[in-house]
Amino acid sequence: MGAIHLSKDVPGTPEALFRTIVAPPTWEYWLGIHREFVGRPPQTLVEGSTLVSEVLVHGMSEEVEWTVKKLEEPTRVVLRGKGRAGVQCDLAYQLQGSESGTTVTASVAFTGPLITTNVTKVLVEQGYPQLDRTLGQLAELAYALHGRR
């Protein structure tokens, strides 16, 4: 099992960031591991909804079925992903208003038969910079779509 936790202060409100995260059509513009959807995703996520996407992690493509485990507007989004190879990924975003906008804390935990000690090391090592870029792109898009509202 491996995990990555990263907090970043970004401009924009928790509401704007939340609305962007729960809108799957925006994922191609900010979610670093996302490549494309398999089938048509919902326009907006609700608790219990599922969608399938192709992700690219460490040069390997995998179809992941995402289930929305928890939505607490505008502060928390929790998704659970299950891949065909038995890999499971929990992805959580915590949004807290701050003086400069919002502190976004992203947590990724991954488990499964392919997640060895060496794989975990590589995923964590490469995951931090990718997650940092993802949070920056999320903030830019949320601001472009929703401004400071």
Side-chain angles (χ1 to χ4, degrees):
M1 179 174 158
I4 302 169
H5 304 283
L6 181 68
S7 290
K8 183 172 184 150
D9 290 324
V10 299
T13 64
E15 292 81 7
L17 291 156
F18 184 90
R19 284 195 302 268
T20 305
I21 293 168
V22 300
T26 69
W27 289 10
E28 69 178 288
Y29 302 106
W30 64 270
L31 185 56
I33 63 171
H34 175 74
R35 291 299 163 250
E36 64 184 351
F37 288 105
V38 177
R40 181 172 286 210
Q43 289 296 303
T44 303
L45 299 177
V46 296
E47 276 190 30
S49 60
T50 62
L51 61 160
V52 178
S53 72
E54 182 182 319
V55 300
L56 185 65
V57 177
H58 190 53
M60 296 183 349
S61 181
E62 172 75 13
E63 278 187 17
V64 175
E65 180 181 68
W66 296 101
T67 301
V68 180
K69 301 308 270 182
K70 185 166 279 303
L71 292 179
E72 295 173 4
E73 189 173 352
T75 59
R76 191 167 176 220
V77 177
V78 180
L79 304 172
R80 170 159 294 152
K82 293 182 180 179
R84 290 180 294 171
V87 174
Q88 184 171 298
C89 173
D90 290 324
L91 177 58
Y93 295 96
Q94 188 72 37
L95 309 166
Q96 178 67 44
S98 68
E99 285 185 26
S100 62
T102 301
T103 300
V104 181
T105 300
S107 301
V108 183
F110 38 91
T111 61
L114 301 177
I115 307 299
T116 64
T117 302
N118 288 336
V119 169
T120 297
K121 182 180 176 185
V122 170
L123 290 175
V124 168
E125 195 174 274
Q126 293 182 358
Y128 276 104
Q130 183 177 36
L131 189 55
D132 186 61
R133 280 190 306 277
T134 288
L135 295 181
Q137 290 172 272
L138 168 63
E140 287 176 20
L141 183 61
Y143 188 81
L145 293 174
H146 307 289
R148 290 210 163 267
R149 300 180 271 150

